[in-house]
Amino acid sequence: MSSTETVTAGENRGEDRDDEIVSDDDELPVDEIFHILQNERRRMVLEYLQGTDESVRMRDVAEQVAAWENDTTVEELTSDQRQRVYIPLYQSHLPKLDKAGIIDYQQNRGVVERRPLARQLDYYLNADSNNSTSNDAGTKGADWDDYYIGAAGAGAVLLLGAFFELPLFSVITGIGLSALILLMFTTLTIGQYVR
């Protein structure tokens, strides 16, 4: 393979993502993961399949995705709502996921099955729950927003007291007041960073 062919192949790789086929042993490039997950329907399909180890009917997947999109239950879906989701899944989204090696989509049988490569996407699909878990563990119950609001309130009370020359507050000079407020916020910031 010449150097010209190498450059051309490298350039086309980013443009023709749909033509790439990935085996179960490969790892998806991050760009490919984001390309796949950029569509909400594909994300919903993958979320539905996360809880399954066996093949499921494509119809069941389409109905659940339609129910999620329309904020209703599968039983309450209209035929139009089902069809608006079923056709794009059948023609576009499921074949794309199959070509990427994330699912096994047997279009003629109407069956979908999650493949091992799909595990690479689980982290991104569960990002919200991962963030809330890490935030809860990282702050150990401390709600830093409340601390900052409290510090802002205390600073406002100090400023108002000095402005109206209240007895306790008039003792503090302008520079001393500024230093005190700065010290409060610096202490909070260091405390949040250390935890």
Side-chain angles (χ1 to χ4, degrees):
M1 187 167 176
S2 71
S3 62
T4 308
E5 291 172 346
T6 306
V7 170
T8 306
E11 289 172 354
N12 290 337
R13 183 177 302 138
E15 296 170 8
D16 298 331
R17 289 184 186 142
D18 296 342
D19 296 335
E20 291 182 15
I21 297 176
V22 181
S23 74
D24 289 345
D25 298 334
D26 291 337
E27 283 196 21
L28 289 169
V30 174
D31 287 344
E32 182 69 16
I33 290 171
F34 290 139
H35 176 71
I36 289 165
L37 295 178
Q38 77 183 3
N39 183 277
E40 185 177 22
R41 283 189 178 152
R42 287 195 292 265
R43 289 192 307 269
M44 288 181 179
V45 166
L46 294 169
E47 286 174 17
Y48 179 82
L49 294 174
Q50 267 185 320
T52 64
D53 291 329
E54 302 173 351
S55 58
V56 286
R57 294 183 321 166
M58 185 267 180
R59 180 178 181 204
D60 295 338
V61 175
E63 286 178 342
Q64 184 58 62
V65 169
W68 284 337
E69 279 188 10
N70 292 287
D71 199 25
T72 187
T73 63
V74 172
E75 294 78 24
E76 295 176 357
L77 284 172
T78 66
S79 61
D80 285 344
Q81 290 171 329
R82 291 175 207 268
Q83 191 173 9
R84 274 196 301 268
V85 172
Y86 186 92
I87 291 171
L89 287 183
Y90 179 84
Q91 293 178 344
S92 175
H93 300 303
L94 294 177
K96 182 180 287 269
L97 292 171
D98 180 66
K99 185 172 266 189
I102 296 166
I103 65 168
D104 181 22
Y105 174 44
Q106 299 173 20
Q107 197 170 35
N108 58 344
R109 292 182 54 215
V111 175
V112 179
E113 186 173 350
R114 182 177 147 105
R115 296 181 75 189
L117 196 55
R119 285 192 297 265
Q120 290 181 32
L121 304 174
D122 288 347
Y123 172 79
Y124 300 98
L125 293 171
N126 300 326
D128 288 339
S129 61
N130 290 342
N131 285 340
S132 65
T133 302
S134 65
N135 285 342
D136 291 344
T139 59
K140 297 180 183 175
D143 193 358
W144 290 102
D145 291 343
D146 291 342
Y147 292 140
Y148 281 104
I149 290 170
V157 168
L158 288 171
L159 284 172
L160 287 173
F163 179 77
F164 290 115
E165 297 179 358
L166 296 175
L168 234 51
F169 299 99
S170 61
V171 176
I172 304 172
T173 65
I175 293 176
L177 185 61
S178 300
L180 185 61
I181 292 171
L182 180 63
L183 180 65
M184 276 193 307
F185 283 99
T186 303
T187 304
L188 277 175
T189 304
I190 291 171
Q192 184 179 6
Y193 180 75
V194 169
R195 283 187 184 239

